[in-house]
Amino acid sequence: MGGGRGRAARISSGDVEAQRAINAAAPKVHDLGRRILALFRPYRSAIILMIVLVIITAAISVFPPLITQRIFDDGLFAPGGVDMPLLLFLLALTVVLLVSSNLIGIWQTWLTSKTGNRVMGDLRVKLFDHLQEMELAFFTKTKTGVIQSRLANDVGGVATVLTNTVTSVVGNTVTVIASAVTMFILSWQLTLIAFCLMPILVVVQRRVGTIRARIAGQTQESLSAMTAITQESLSVSGILLAKSFGRAQDESARYSDENDNQIALQVKQMMTGQWFFALVQVFVSLLPALIYLLSGILITRGHAGITAGTLVAFTAVQSRLLMPMMGLLRVTLDLQTSSALFARIFDYLDMTPAIRDAPDARPVDEARVGEIEFRDVGFHYPDATDLEQPILDHVSFLIAPGEFVAFVGPSGAGKTTIGYLVARLHEATSGQVLFAGDDVRDLLLDSLVDHIGIVSQQSYLFHDSIAANLRYAKPDATDQELRDACAKANILDAIDAMPSGMGTVVGEQGYRLSGGERQRIAIARVILKDSPVLILDEATSALDTVSERIAQEALDEASKNRTTLAIAHRLSTIQNADRIIVLRDGRIAESGAHDELIAQGGVYAQLYTEQDSYETNPASTD
């Protein structure tokens, strides 16, 4: 159990560092209120209608107490006895007002819910779209669970504010003003007593709101950690890892520790406001007694304005006043509490993607598609220190259209980075990466991506049917096009042998299929995309010998008539390449065809000899 807690501590520390980096990159939000209001701008018409309905409802709510005064003073206790016609009229008017108020209230509630949830949905989609634009490096240093928490927990945490704030503020404000005026008309002396303690409540509320805002931020950080643990531990890969190493109990302990922290924060947040609302309840309970006491004093002193009807009406208005005032205090408290969540959401929205289209970006020149050139390219990760060895250092080469070029070298030599720079998944730190004769930074990203197909070592498949995974590359592909692509990828026979054929659901990350089947479906997907440039990022290195041979045949088919960049670990797969570029320590060590490099006896020859020796007699390397 101790191991689990230790691991949780290490992960929490990493989360803190990642969060610091994110916060440092994002501009600080100085005016949350203005930005929150801006979210409602597309729904101005609906909000205006909501406000009108709220004002009407609030205005109607003031009349019943005044009618009550008339019922008592002029209907029931009139000088000449009960005035039945007037009494019936006043009672009927009361019923009409109450029914009208409730019908309008239902309409207003529907409109409020619809508008508020649309605003929340817009915010969620806006955040998702913005995250889609972020560069690959952002996702390599930020946990998926933390990102998911921003979308689910943070946006969900401000749902009440987004759905109820406008109507609550407008409705309660109108009700408070109208009730205060009515109370003042009935008795200014009693009104002073009713409002005497309000300033104290406002001051206390602001203090409570500040404390709850701080706790809310801590609560959301804890939720982010829990979401990250869930995403890591309950994914197929996470479960497999935990079971393989016997660490299931440690994962449970890690989740339990964070869950305990979450419970403590939730209880603390809930209890922080309870004593404030208890104080309000005491005030609400004592206020009628003070009103009755003051009324008794005024009546004994001969104040003729305090009648039974006046006292009943005043008490009724006062009860209608206190709830809206508590509602305003709650809204203010919710806004203060939610400010921490809005700040977290806006932190993400304020991040600027490091890789995006230039203002004058243009499409790829179709006449030169397939031509790729590196001019003195250097690359290191944005958070690397000056003392760290760059991933690529002054790399230059030219690939002609239709050429098959392989990149080999020891682990960490920069092979995969070259493929990422061509597709502009990373940005070169120095030098130029040219595609079809243009610097990739001058090209439209969508146009660049349309011309490149990528097969990686760990190809991702959705938890969906084989057909749906294939159509991710070409949504309008026909069934015959799917079959043709699968035939070229050497996977069609295997698919036809499955009970549901193309409708077979592959499972989470394709785990219901073998490694070779997953890879060949990924190859079929790239074939279906039919891009003129193909990047193979160690596409067969994780496969067994038989699966590798079948997959390699599929890759050979996919590479025909295309410019192909093959990042290779197994040198046997790229012996027929037009050219092999050998990388070492981020630089090009040598370049040439397989036979030429073997004859030179350099780095490639050494790598080839070592690999051939291991594959021939693995035990000799022990």
Side-chain angles (χ1 to χ4, degrees), residues 485-508:
C486 290
K488 292 179 180 179
N490 287 339
I491 189 63
L492 183 60
D493 291 342
I495 294 174
D496 286 341
M498 298 177 186
S500 300
M502 287 286 182
T504 302
V505 176
V506 302
E508 182 72 17

Side-chain angles (χ1 to χ4, degrees), residues 197-211 275-276 279-280 329 332-333 336:
L197 298 179
M198 290 300 175
I200 297 176
L201 295 180
V202 173
V203 172
V204 174
Q205 172 268 323
R206 290 179 64 86
R207 174 60 179 165
V208 172
T210 301
I211 297 173
W275 59 268
F276 167 68
L279 177 64
V280 173
L329 292 175
T332 307
L333 195 60
Q336 285 182 273

Side-chain angles (χ1 to χ4, degrees), residues 412-430:
K415 305 184 296 295
T416 296
T417 301
I418 286 177
Y420 285 172
L421 289 175
V422 172
R424 211 186 169 199
L425 297 175
H426 288 315
E427 199 89 280
T429 307
S430 60

Side-chain angles (χ1 to χ4, degrees), residues 172-184:
N172 290 328
T173 300
V174 172
T175 302
V176 167
I177 294 174
S179 298
V181 171
T182 305
M183 291 168 60
F184 193 84

Side-chain angles (χ1 to χ4, degrees), residues 66-351:
L66 297 176
I67 295 173
T68 301
Q69 181 189 30
R70 292 289 305 280
I71 289 173
F72 272 83
D73 293 344
D74 300 332
L76 294 173
F77 302 108
V82 176
D83 187 342
M84 187 57 68
L86 179 61
L87 180 61
L88 292 175
F89 172 75
L90 293 174
L91 291 175
L93 182 59
T94 300
V95 171
V96 170
L97 289 174
L98 290 176
V99 171
S100 300
S101 177
N102 280 279
L103 289 176
I104 296 174
I106 293 173
W107 185 12
Q108 173 248 308
T109 301
W110 172 79
L111 196 59
T112 299
S113 176
K114 180 180 178 181
T115 303
N117 279 285
R118 283 188 177 277
V119 172
M120 185 172 66
D122 290 346
L123 180 60
R124 187 183 290 116
V125 170
K126 184 178 181 181
L127 182 57
F128 184 88
D129 289 347
H130 187 70
L131 288 170
Q132 288 281 328
E133 295 176 359
M134 294 303 296
E135 68 279 4
L136 182 63
F138 167 77
F139 297 96
T140 61
K141 64 183 180 182
T142 308
K143 289 183 178 180
T144 303
V146 173
I147 297 172
Q148 291 174 342
S149 181
R150 295 287 172 113
L151 284 166
N153 298 328
D154 289 4
V155 176
V158 299
T160 301
V161 173
L162 292 176
T163 54
N164 296 329
T165 297
V166 175
T167 54
S168 181
V169 169
V170 175
N172 290 328
T173 300
V174 172
T175 302
V176 167
I177 294 174
S179 298
V181 171
T182 305
M183 291 168 60
F184 193 84
I185 293 173
L186 291 170
S187 173
W188 65 267
Q189 295 96 336
L190 299 180
T191 304
L192 291 178
I193 292 296
F195 279 91
C196 65
L197 298 179
M198 290 300 175
I200 297 176
L201 295 180
V202 173
V203 172
V204 174
Q205 172 268 323
R206 290 179 64 86
R207 174 60 179 165
V208 172
T210 301
I211 297 173
R212 290 189 70 176
R214 184 180 70 249
I215 299 174
Q218 296 171 349
T219 302
Q220 293 307 115
E221 290 294 339
S222 175
L223 279 174
S224 294
M226 289 185 68
T227 305
I229 294 172
T230 302
Q231 190 274 332
E232 290 176 345
S233 301
L234 298 185
S235 65
V236 175
S237 300
I239 286 291
L240 181 61
L241 183 66
K243 289 184 178 296
S244 300
F245 285 87
R247 297 296 297 272
Q249 290 185 347
D250 293 327
E251 293 300 321
S252 295
R254 185 159 70 107
Y255 187 84
S256 179
D257 289 345
E258 195 57 56
N259 185 56
D260 290 341
N261 183 39
Q262 176 65 206
I263 292 172
L265 288 169
Q266 291 282 5
V267 172
K268 188 176 181 181
Q269 182 173 339
M270 178 65 69
M271 294 308 298
T272 300
Q274 288 307 303
W275 59 268
F276 167 68
F277 289 111
L279 177 64
V280 173
Q281 290 295 334
V282 171
F283 171 69
V284 170
S285 301
L286 291 179
L287 190 54
L290 293 175
I291 296 299
Y292 296 145
L293 176 61
L294 180 60
S295 298
I297 294 174
L298 293 174
I299 292 172
T300 57
R301 294 183 179 181
H303 195 285
I306 306 297
T307 64
T310 299
L311 188 57
V312 171
F314 189 91
T315 305
V317 177
Q318 167 205 310
S319 65
R320 292 177 179 275
L321 167 70
L322 293 176
M323 292 308 296
M325 290 202 69
M326 288 183 63
L328 286 174
L329 292 175
R330 281 187 181 275
V331 167
T332 307
L333 195 60
D334 288 342
L335 284 172
Q336 285 182 273
T337 303
S338 300
S339 63
L341 310 189
F342 277 114
R344 285 165 53 86
I345 293 170
F346 289 136
D347 275 348
Y348 264 27
L349 288 175
D350 289 338
M351 289 187 295

Side-chain angles (χ1 to χ4, degrees), residues 456-615:
S456 62
Q457 179 179 351
Q458 298 293 336
S459 294
Y460 186 86
L461 298 181
F462 297 100
H463 184 71
D464 207 333
S465 67
I466 293 174
N469 274 281
L470 292 171
R471 285 196 172 98
Y472 194 77
K474 188 179 180 182
D476 59 348
T478 64
D479 291 344
Q480 187 58 48
E481 286 177 317
L482 298 186
R483 295 185 63 82
D484 290 344
C486 290
K488 292 179 180 179
N490 287 339
I491 189 63
L492 183 60
D493 291 342
I495 294 174
D496 286 341
M498 298 177 186
S500 300
M502 287 286 182
T504 302
V505 176
V506 302
E508 182 72 17
Q509 298 182 25
Y511 266 89
R512 294 181 63 184
L513 306 176
S514 69
E517 289 171 337
R518 288 198 300 270
Q519 199 69 343
R520 280 178 282 158
I521 288 176
I523 294 170
R525 186 165 57 188
V526 169
I527 292 174
L528 193 63
K529 185 180 180 183
D530 196 24
S531 301
V533 175
L534 182 63
I535 297 176
L536 308 177
D537 185 7
E538 301 192 14
T540 63
S541 62
L543 304 180
D544 58 76
T545 304
V546 176
S547 296
E548 180 189 25
R549 178 183 57 77
I550 298 174
Q552 189 59 48
E553 291 174 358
L555 290 174
D556 291 341
E557 177 65 28
S559 301
K560 289 181 179 178
N561 303 317
R562 289 182 173 87
T563 302
T564 303
L565 287 74
I567 291 90
H569 173 72
R570 293 183 180 175
L571 304 185
S572 57
T573 63
I574 47 89
Q575 293 182 24
N576 295 326
D578 297 321
R579 184 159 38 116
I580 300 172
I581 295 177
V582 184
L583 296 170
R584 183 171 61 180
D585 297 329
R587 290 176 175 268
I588 295 179
E590 51 193 21
S591 175
H594 170 76
D595 293 339
E596 296 173 357
L597 295 176
I598 291 295
Q600 289 179 13
V603 176
Y604 179 82
Q606 181 181 356
L607 289 172
Y608 184 80
T609 301
E610 291 174 354
Q611 205 168 98
D612 183 62
S613 174
Y614 175 79
E615 292 175 355

